[in-house]
Amino acid sequence: MLGKKAYFIRERVGFLKLVDADDILDPQTQSQLGIAKEKASVLVGGQAFSAEALRALQDDAAAIADADLAERIAGESAILGLCGARDEAAYQDRLLEIFGNRTQIGFERMRRPPAKGPKGRLLEALRRVLWSLMRWPHDWAAFQQNAVNEQAIKALVLEVRLRRREGEALRARLEALERAAGGDVAGGAES
Amino acid sequence: MSKPRIDQLTGGYAEGDAISQEARLMRTMLRAAGFESDIYASGAHIAPESRGDALPYEAFAPTVPDAVIFHFSTATAASRLFAAVRGRRIVRYHNITPASFFEGFDDGVAAQLRMAREELVSVVRLADVCWSDSAYNATEIEATGAARSVVLPLLFSEDEFAGGEDASLQAAFGDALCNWLFVGRIVPNKSVEDLILAFAWYHRCLNPASRLLIAGSEASCPPYYAMLRLLAARLGLMNVCFTGFVSTAGRHTLYRCADVFVTASRHEGFCLPLVEAMACGVPVVARDEGGMPEALGGGGVRYEGLDARELALLVARVTDRAAPLRGQVLAAQSRRMVALRQRDANAEFMEQVRQVLAMERKTA
């Protein structure tokens, strides 16, 4: 890998942004040559954590498990991907795509904190009952809101498309005028 | 005989802004030392409540002052005014955010920042001296060819900062929840998304009785703010609170409510909120980047290369009042604050002013 003169470094976006890492690619073939990862370090009061202390922190962190959260973060990688938009138009396209896929208000995955002890279990049971009672008015409101969201996103996409088409038409017209005027319209009109 | 005059030029002027705060402090010191002194900023970027305290560029007479301090952090019309100054020219360098952070979010700002890098070279060429607020910034400005470069750490008045309380913020956040606090403009180089991800793990797996407070103006980059709001909402993090701009009194209240100050910022020239947090006795966890190690000066926790879960766990250890780590961090911060409180900023600043006024004026 080190025999090459040029490398292409691509920042990792999306849920992989959880780790500060970049892909090292072959500039010609775009094949992956390796991964560059920021070296981990922790300093407290100017003193660096020992290798053992840092390893212990990393091991303890790796043991933290929440499959639902990991899945949620991975599912929302497109949002973090906005950081990688090369310009405003690309950002807008990505944002509209995200909105287009997320018009629905849903409470299916609403999380109830885990209950501990008899009091906790009682509280959880009470929450379940309350949620069942609230379900009908909630679903009625969510149905209407989701319909509004969907139409609002469609209108937004249409608006962006119209503006872009308008911009392209104006640009084409300006270019045609410049050509007709001998290519010096932008230089300023003579009085 | 009229008094000598030293004026200051800034891009904008607002109450909670670090550069404005320093300019105000410098003006106070200059006036106390017998100078006439005013602050000039772009009229469009003077906050409504600060009009009158700072004057618009149109009122600036470049031929009058004996010296001008130009606070440089972005491209503004002030560069042209600075070039017309007849007295000594001082560049106060606060760093320029790399344009790449803004690409996609705001191409206009990205272009302005690229222009600022170009403008800096010509501004430095005109300057008699460059004062950087950190050694990190001094390295950058020396690379542009500064003839005379001095490190003058950002001036900070604890007395000015300590005053006032915001009762509504106290009522909203002064409860028993463990508060993570971030203070700063909501802009892409601050990597607030990394904070949200780390907080997600902390809140879900380590301490559900917790809250992330993000205090700062979102006006500088609305598309980035939109991304953050969307991320927090989609991850179901109801306890991520964006407070918007907060006044000095409000910031003071938030520090008092905070259990820890956390920043994942990837670019800072200095980062005054770190000093403010330490002054309020709040443990700090900050990415080891830019001028932040200098602002911390041996205090706080600095990290790099940690993923979201590792950062969450590190913060959990700092917020644990029974854990030895919190005590170590606070002890180191106390030592740092003792050193900062012993600093005679007034004497340091006035000595630099005297040296500049005694210098032969540079011919452009």
Side-chain angles (χ1 to χ4, degrees):
Chain A
M1 176 190 151
L2 296 174
K4 293 196 174 291
K5 283 187 179 168
Y7 299 90
F8 179 68
I9 309 294
R10 183 180 65 193
E11 191 185 353
R12 287 187 165 190
V13 293
F15 78 96
L16 292 167
K17 195 178 184 298
L18 291 174
V19 177
D20 284 313
D22 298 295
D23 289 320
I24 304 170
L25 308 175
D26 184 317
Q28 266 90 46
T29 64
Q30 295 289 303
S31 61
Q32 190 173 34
L33 300 171
I35 297 167
K37 196 181 161 193
E38 206 179 326
K39 195 177 167 222
S41 72
V42 176
L43 289 97
V44 177
Q47 297 291 312
F49 261 26
S50 66
E52 294 77 44
L54 187 60
R55 174 57 52 204
L57 178 82
Q58 289 174 319
D59 289 347
D60 291 349
I64 299 171
D66 185 332
D68 178 56
L69 178 62
E71 195 189 318
R72 270 179 192 244
I73 293 173
E76 300 304 340
S77 61
I79 297 175
L80 290 167
L82 289 168
C83 287
R86 67 185 181 285
D87 55 30
E88 284 177 355
Y91 173 92
Q92 195 175 44
D93 286 342
R94 287 185 188 191
L95 189 65
L96 287 175
E97 198 183 320
I98 290 167
F99 283 157
N101 295 328
R102 289 165 180 79
T103 52
Q104 304 288 308
I105 293 177
F107 281 71
E108 299 78 33
R109 294 177 69 190
M110 192 168 143
R111 187 171 173 267
R112 280 190 294 270
K116 280 181 194 162
K119 262 189 187 174
R121 278 193 291 277
L122 190 69
L123 204 64
E124 197 180 341
L126 186 68
R127 280 199 190 111
R128 264 202 303 271
V129 172
L130 280 174
W131 181 241
S132 307
L133 291 172
M134 285 165 60
R135 196 69 203 234
W136 185 81
H138 159 264
D139 285 359
W140 179 74
F143 169 75
Q144 292 184 91
Q145 186 63 61
N146 288 340
V148 170
N149 290 355
E150 205 172 307
Q151 297 318 307
I153 298 300
K154 278 185 182 159
L156 196 61
V157 170
L158 186 67
E159 173 69 12
V160 169
R161 207 181 295 156
L162 282 173
R163 291 262 168 256
R164 284 194 185 162
R165 204 176 296 157
E166 202 176 57
E168 279 162 20
L170 279 170
R171 231 183 338 264
R173 200 168 157 214
L174 189 65
E175 278 166 12
L177 282 169
E178 277 178 345
R179 273 196 304 276
D184 199 29
V185 172
E190 285 179 10
S191 56
Chain B
M1 191 181 143
S2 66
K3 288 180 182 176
R5 168 173 276 277
I6 299 180
D7 288 327
Q8 299 179 73
L9 296 169
T10 70
Y13 191 81
E15 198 245 334
D17 168 57
I19 296 175
S20 306
Q21 253 173 263
E22 189 187 52
R24 213 162 30 243
L25 205 54
M26 284 181 174
R27 184 183 60 189
T28 306
M29 291 174 185
L30 287 167
R31 285 179 179 173
F35 289 90
E36 281 190 294
S37 182
D38 282 310
I39 299 167
Y40 296 87
S42 161
H45 295 105
I46 300 176
E49 69 278 5
S50 299
R51 285 191 188 127
D53 194 24
L55 304 168
Y57 289 153
E58 291 73 26
F60 179 69
T63 54
V64 175
D66 299 277
V68 168
I69 302 166
F70 180 14
H71 294 266
F72 197 96
S73 63
T74 189
T76 61
S79 297
R80 283 200 302 277
L81 298 176
F82 189 64
V85 168
R86 293 229 183 122
R88 309 292 189 286
R89 300 187 188 115
I90 304 159
V91 169
R92 176 60 162 158
Y93 185 53
H94 298 279
N95 212 297
I96 302 163
T97 306
S100 57
F101 283 110
F102 280 83
E103 279 162 6
F105 289 114
D106 192 328
D107 295 345
V109 171
Q112 195 185 7
L113 292 169
R114 270 192 294 274
M115 201 197 299
R117 290 263 165 205
E118 288 166 21
E119 225 173 75
L120 180 67
V121 177
S122 49
V123 164
V124 163
R125 208 170 288 152
L126 290 168
D128 292 285
V129 63
C130 296
W131 296 342
S132 299
D133 54 21
S134 64
Y136 171 77
N137 288 349
T139 310
E140 266 195 13
I141 209 151
E142 282 157 18
T144 65
R148 191 151 181 267
S149 162
V150 173
V151 177
L152 177 66
L154 197 76
L155 304 177
F156 167 67
S157 164
E158 210 175 335
D159 296 339
E160 193 180 311
F161 172 66
E165 286 295 327
D166 186 317
S168 63
L169 287 174
Q170 177 65 39
F173 305 124
D175 50 20
L177 293 192
C178 175
N179 285 318
W180 286 31
L181 175 64
F182 167 80
V183 174
R185 287 186 311 139
I186 312 299
V187 286
N189 54 299
K190 309 278 184 186
S191 283
V192 181
E193 66 277 17
D194 289 353
L195 274 191
I196 293 175
L197 289 173
F199 178 75
W201 286 101
Y202 178 83
H203 183 69
R204 287 277 297 245
C205 304
L206 299 167
N207 183 7
S210 55
R211 182 193 285 124
L212 170 58
L213 291 168
I214 299 170
S217 169
E218 68 276 8
S220 300
C221 193
Y224 178 65
Y225 175 66
M227 184 193 89
L228 298 177
R229 290 302 300 254
L230 201 55
L231 180 66
R234 295 297 302 182
L235 295 181
L237 298 170
M238 289 192 291
N239 278 9
V240 173
C241 305
F242 292 86
T243 67
F245 169 81
V246 280
S247 64
T248 305
R251 280 204 320 282
H252 192 247
T253 305
L254 289 177
Y255 287 119
R256 283 165 54 100
C257 294
D259 292 88
V260 63
F261 182 96
V262 193
T263 174
S265 182
R266 290 174 186 274
H267 184 268
E268 294 288 345
F270 184 81
C271 196
L272 186 62
L274 302 184
V275 178
E276 292 179 346
M278 289 194 292
C280 294
V282 181
V284 172
V285 178
R287 198 189 286 271
D288 200 5
E289 283 281 349
M292 289 195 285
E294 286 174 73
L296 287 170
V301 179
R302 283 149 51 194
Y303 78 91
E304 61 182 344
L306 298 187
D307 68 23
R309 268 186 295 190
E310 290 163 356
L311 179 56
L313 187 60
L314 179 64
V315 175
R317 291 185 179 169
V318 173
T319 52
D320 182 354
R321 287 173 192 273
L325 186 63
R326 187 179 174 90
Q328 286 170 27
V329 174
L330 288 173
Q333 289 185 184
S334 297
R335 288 194 293 276
R336 169 62 171 155
M337 285 315 297
V338 168
L340 280 176
R341 283 171 188 138
Q342 281 169 350
R343 178 186 176 203
D344 190 344
N346 187 42
E348 218 175 295
F349 171 62
M350 290 315 300
E351 175 54 28
Q352 289 302 327
V353 169
R354 267 188 288 278
Q355 282 185 26
V356 172
L357 292 177
M359 278 166 65
E360 191 83 1
R361 194 196 170 291
K362 188 177 179 179
T363 47

